[in-house]
Amino acid sequence: MRIILLGPPGAGKGTQAKSMSESLGLVHISSGDLLRDHQNRGTELGVTARDYMKKGLLVPDDLIIDMIEERIKMPDVEFGYILDGFPRTVQQARSLEKALENQGERIDKVANIVVSDQELITRLGGRWICRQCQQPFHEINSPPQIEGQCDTCNGELYQREDDTSEAVVKRIKVFGEQTNPLIEYYSKRGTLVSVDGEGSIEQVRESLIGAVS
Ligand code: AMP
């Protein structure tokens, strides 16, 4: 099964993709995590991507497409995957479709997580993430038991460079302009399902599992 999680920054794609991939036995592929890993390793892609990411802009399509196409050819994804954060433009969606077609494969479901802009700004503004296991916390809604430390693995918590209020506003705007057209794109292909992303993590998870099953 090949699933895409679509939704604005802060919709909970990462949290939900992680949990769904464990339940459904699929590999979680996050384009943002892959880019941050490139940054940490200081690769050419990581250095180039950093300038775009810091400003809340999208990394150029050709760079992202190459990175994802390479990832989905790896042997561990043979039973399927959940794409989180990719595609983000119509060009990326077209390239993905073509690459899959060449392998006799296709996307089975695209789940669109719907959250209001105001809720996104609140969520991203107070977000802290574990450096080790990537679990997100929120200063007010879901604070860690010990400040600065992950409840699950004791890893150090940090705030993403692109969670500054300026970058958050930009990322939401970029989503509206460049990623929103994907809703129509996948709707026309009959693979789109939309779920309300404003419930609890468990409620949203259940809706998503129901929607893709
Ligand atoms: P995310 O972790 O999904 O919120 O992504 C963080 C940042 O990485 C985005 O704001 C973009 O700058 C970049 N990025 C991640 N995925 C993509 C993509 N599919 N296309 C372009 N840029 C991306």
Side-chain angles (χ1 to χ4, degrees):
M1 197 174 197
R2 292 170 206 89
I3 297 170
I4 291 172
L5 279 195
L6 208 59
K13 296 188 298 295
T15 305
Q16 296 296 344
K18 186 165 185 271
S19 153
M20 285 170 77
S21 62
E22 284 159 12
S23 309
L24 302 173
L26 302 171
V27 175
H28 173 198
I29 302 178
S30 155
S31 50
D33 284 351
L34 290 174
L35 288 171
R36 282 181 285 276
D37 181 52
H38 273 276
Q39 278 184 28
N40 293 338
R41 288 187 285 123
T43 67
E44 206 182 320
L45 171 59
V47 173
T48 310
R50 183 158 183 224
D51 284 339
Y52 293 94
M53 292 169 78
K54 247 177 101 169
K55 292 181 197 146
L57 299 173
L58 293 187
V59 174
D61 282 336
D62 52 340
L63 300 180
I64 292 287
I65 290 166
D66 286 351
M67 179 184 81
I68 294 291
E69 288 190 0
E70 200 177 296
R71 181 67 189 88
I72 61 174
K73 280 188 196 136
M74 289 185 182
D76 64 325
V77 304
E78 88 176 290
F79 297 113
Y81 46 79
I82 301 182
L83 284 173
D84 149 19
F86 181 92
R88 261 177 155 100
T89 64
V90 171
Q91 196 191 325
Q92 292 178 18
R94 286 208 187 104
S95 300
L96 174 66
E97 201 167 67
K98 225 184 210 167
L100 290 176
E101 251 169 43
N102 290 340
Q103 293 170 216
E105 296 168 353
R106 66 185 170 84
I107 292 296
D108 299 291
K109 282 274 184 240
V110 179
N112 175 36
I113 310 178
V114 183
V115 178
S116 69
D117 287 359
Q118 190 46 54
E119 172 70 11
L120 298 174
I121 290 168
T122 309
R123 284 187 190 180
L124 293 173
R127 182 163 78 164
W128 289 79
I129 299 170
C130 174
R131 253 186 223 290
Q132 265 171 224
C133 72
Q134 316 306 323
Q135 186 178 331
F137 294 85
H138 190 276
E139 281 171 6
I140 295 158
N141 302 341
S142 53
Q145 280 166 13
I146 300 171
E147 201 183 312
Q149 186 176 310
C150 175
D151 292 353
T152 309
C153 73
N154 298 335
E156 183 201 358
L157 303 185
Y158 79 105
Q159 283 195 298
R160 272 173 45 172
E161 273 185 331
D162 56 354
D163 278 349
T164 59
S165 51
E166 212 177 49
V168 164
V169 169
K170 185 77 193 162
R171 284 161 65 204
I172 293 172
K173 188 163 178 270
V174 165
F175 174 84
E177 290 168 0
Q178 303 196 50
T179 311
N180 237 356
L182 291 181
I183 293 173
E184 197 189 332
Y185 181 91
Y186 286 115
S187 180
K188 278 189 182 153
R189 280 157 179 76
T191 43
L192 188 87
V193 278
S194 285
V195 304
D196 177 2
E198 294 205 16
S200 68
I201 292 178
E202 290 71 29
Q203 281 167 340
V204 178
R205 181 180 177 278
E206 271 186 30
S207 309
L208 280 169
I209 300 258
V212 302
S213 297

